[in-house]
Amino acid sequence: MFIKGEWCDAAGGKTFEVTNPATGEKIADVADGGQADAARAIDAAHAAFAGWSGMTAYDRSRILYKAWELMSARQADIARIMTQEQGKPLRAAMNEVRYGADFLLWYAEEGKRVYGETIPAPRADQRFIVLHQPVGVVAAITPWNYPASMITRKVAPALAAGCTIVLKPAEATPLCAIEIFKVLADAGVPEGVANLVTGFDPAPIGEEFVTNPLVRKITFTGSTETGKLLAKGAADQMKRVSLELGGHAPFLVLKDADPVFAAKGAVLVKYLNSGQACICPNRLFVHRSGVDAFTEEFVSRVTRMRAGNGLDDGISIGPLVNEKAIEKVERQVADATAKGAEVLCGGHRLMEDGLDRGHFFAPTVLANVTPDMLIYREETFGPVAPIIPFDDDDDILAMANDTHYGLAAYVYTQNLSAAMRTFEGLRFGIIGINDINPTGAAAPFGGMKESGLGREGGHEGLGEYLETKLGGFSV
Ligand code: ADP
């Protein structure tokens, strides 16, 4: 762990094992921190707040810029560690490290643009001035699926805003977090400004984050279930919350779309990270006129994908994170087939060629998926693509919006007004139009409905770490 500028063990001296999800092998022992460690880290962040928030934005920017340089220089090493602890293919890990580093660079710049406002006041002898100030100590909790970029997406804007931070990474992927904190330390982030608490059991650390009055903001990326728990806890002290939660993205292929082009995009985004991304499509709605061509192209691409250890060449499907993830996918596939879905490829766990040592599931395509199936409603977080034909473009908005999630959605069409109407009508926070990667450090990322609160990235992402203060002056 990294607390008050020093690498340290857990207060109780305990450690936990980190394993490689592709091979089941232990790769490291990491400090198993708990509530007392979280409290110590919060104290350190609190003590550092006055100094860090009192520095000029230019000085903070120089440190973030240095962190960007170091993370970029170390990208190959960090990517290798990521593939070992998380499983994604090495090329995908490199992409993630670069995406993660982008946040450091972008917020190094944006931190200099926390402008205030003067507002015409109702009285001649009055002036209104608006300031933005850092919220204070931030507690951050991050997931295992993007173990580097989800950290910088929180740490970079928090530090740029002048906040100090305590971060708890996911128990499956603490090693990437450790690498990023080495970057921050080497870049010159002062003592106590950024603290890392690792632990196997998240609950006591989360409890300290929620109940400790020194924490003024909770930022979380993970499941909707845990997000709700944290938001309820945070409500007691009215701490600020930003939540980036689950999704159930619809992928719409409208009547006039090119179904083969759409299928190419759909495969890339569905099997991203083996389906373990909150923006992965979970319902592929394809107009009946194009469904055969779409399905043929889709299946032919999926059957060419190779599953295996992400350090090996030519691998596009890595393991799932753990056995629970395999069980969830197996349950959804069994439920769908029992209710009439057809398995076009995959549909089972992979056990041959040593894959039984890891948590591998074959990339799977299901046809004839209907609304009564679990997979139609429940987030899959695995490599299963449900194809749902539809007959009328006019019905599709209602079908796509029929979910309590609202994170990402995708539309394929060559008709400009259909593109605009669906862009405006979809109740989702991120819409790709003939585009499968509508993300970037400068762009606001986040969801509507039960997919979360707030946005990360872009100038909105910086606003999440700032309070607004109005001054009314009599002159
Ligand atoms: P998933 O089911 O995808 O692992 P989680 O929401 O459980 O999603 O995990 C995301 C992050 O939330 C991880 O860092 C995990 O340790 C953390 N987490 C899980 N449960 C709690 C909790 N009760 N309090 C605080 N953090 C938690």
Side-chain angles (χ1 to χ4, degrees):
M1 300 192 293
F2 187 69
I3 300 177
K4 211 176 171 193
E6 282 180 6
W7 293 97
C8 55
D9 294 332
K14 284 200 303 180
T15 59
F16 69 100
E17 288 186 2
V18 182
T19 54
N20 181 332
T23 61
E25 286 160 0
K26 172 176 141 177
I27 47 178
D29 287 306
V30 169
D32 188 6
Q35 192 152 358
D37 302 288
R40 195 162 77 79
I42 292 165
D43 282 341
H46 179 68
F49 179 71
W52 182 248
S53 59
M55 272 169 73
T56 68
Y58 293 89
D59 288 339
R60 289 196 297 263
S61 170
R62 270 189 279 277
I63 292 173
L64 285 172
Y65 186 83
K66 182 73 189 163
W68 169 71
E69 286 185 323
L70 291 175
M71 190 164 168
S72 303
R74 297 176 192 177
Q75 62 176 275
D77 292 340
I78 301 174
R80 217 176 158 77
I81 290 169
M82 188 186 298
T83 296
Q84 285 171 336
E85 75 171 343
Q86 196 272 341
K88 71 183 64 178
L90 198 52
R91 226 178 57 182
M94 289 284 272
N95 287 341
E96 187 193 333
V97 179
R98 277 196 292 272
Y99 173 61
D102 282 351
F103 289 96
L104 294 166
L105 177 60
W106 203 80
Y107 283 108
E109 294 161 347
E110 194 65 6
K112 293 178 272 186
R113 298 182 192 115
V114 180
Y115 301 142
E117 224 179 348
T118 60
I119 296 175
R123 296 197 322 264
D125 67 345
Q126 192 180 35
R127 306 288 182 269
F128 280 165
I129 296 182
V130 173
L131 297 184
H132 299 291
Q133 295 181 315
V135 294
V137 174
V138 173
I141 299 176
T142 49
W144 48 265
N145 60 342
Y146 286 88
S149 56
M150 296 302 97
I151 294 178
T152 51
R153 196 156 86 169
K154 297 180 188 310
V155 170
L159 296 193
C163 295
T164 56
I165 194 163
V166 179
L167 181 116
K168 191 208 81 65
E171 51 276 24
T173 56
L175 302 181
C176 282
I178 290 170
E179 291 307 307
I180 288 170
F181 274 72
K182 284 183 193 163
V183 162
L184 296 172
D186 293 348
V189 171
E191 172 186 308
V193 169
N195 305 275
L196 174 70
V197 178
T198 51
F200 185 69
D201 180 2
I205 300 171
E207 174 72 12
E208 186 64 25
F209 284 1
V210 161
T211 54
N212 190 320
L214 297 178
V215 172
R216 288 315 318 152
K217 159 121 196 163
I218 308 266
T219 174
F220 171 78
T221 299
S223 63
T224 294
E225 197 188 352
T226 306
K228 287 180 181 175
L229 195 82
L230 291 169
K232 283 179 190 158
D236 250 0
Q237 295 172 9
M238 212 45 79
K239 296 185 200 291
R240 274 65 185 124
V241 287
S242 295
L243 304 168
E244 206 272 275
L245 310 177
H248 204 276
F251 189 105
L252 315 182
V253 184
L254 302 188
K255 190 173 175 186
D256 60 51
D258 171 352
V260 171
F261 176 61
K264 287 180 195 164
V267 167
L268 286 171
V269 64
K270 171 68 240 185
Y271 298 98
L272 190 70
N273 211 9
S274 300
Q276 302 173 111
C278 48
I279 60 166
C280 281
N282 225 129
R283 291 166 294 155
L284 302 168
F285 292 110
V286 186
H287 192 274
R288 204 171 297 276
S289 60
V291 76
D292 288 345
F294 178 92
T295 305
E296 189 184 338
E297 178 69 23
F298 194 96
V299 171
S300 94
R301 284 175 177 266
V302 172
T303 45
R304 276 179 271 145
M305 290 180 143
R306 269 187 56 217
N309 187 327
L311 290 180
D312 297 339
D313 284 340
I315 296 299
S316 47
I317 291 282
L320 297 189
V321 64
N322 55 28
E323 283 305 295
K324 225 174 89 193
I326 293 271
E327 282 160 24
K328 183 174 191 190
V329 173
E330 282 177 337
R331 185 166 52 81
Q332 287 193 356
V333 171
D335 168 83
T337 46
K339 290 173 181 162
E342 189 187 346
V343 178
L344 299 182
C345 63
H348 53 84
R349 183 178 191 151
L350 292 170
M351 302 295 277
E352 60 281 0
D353 302 329
L355 296 186
D356 57 325
R357 293 185 293 136
H359 319 288
F360 289 92
F361 199 86
T364 298
V365 184
L366 298 177
N368 303 323
V369 169
T370 49
D372 57 325
M373 298 173 187
L374 281 178
I375 198 163
Y376 195 95
R377 304 262 166 223
E378 215 181 69
E379 190 178 32
T380 302
F381 241 61
V384 185
I387 298 180
I388 307 151
F390 69 94
D391 292 301
D392 190 340
D393 280 1
D394 290 342
D395 300 335
I396 197 61
L397 268 182
M399 289 167 78
N401 286 335
D402 178 21
T403 166
H404 58 269
Y405 289 113
L407 190 58
Y410 305 86
V411 188
Y412 274 67
T413 176
Q414 291 174 5
N415 178 320
L416 182 59
S417 48
M420 186 54 80
R421 273 198 312 273
T422 37
F423 175 50
E424 290 178 353
L426 284 165
R427 300 287 299 148
F428 294 81
I430 304 158
I431 320 277
I433 293 143
N434 300 321
D435 187 76
I436 50 158
N437 189 16
T439 59
F445 186 107
M448 299 182 183
K449 300 197 242 174
E450 293 186 28
S451 288
L453 283 176
R455 295 292 180 271
E456 293 191 306
H459 63 86
E460 285 191 53
L462 188 59
E464 299 285 326
Y465 298 94
L466 295 166
E467 291 280 15
T468 293
K469 181 182 282 179
L470 171 70
F473 294 75
S474 277
V475 294

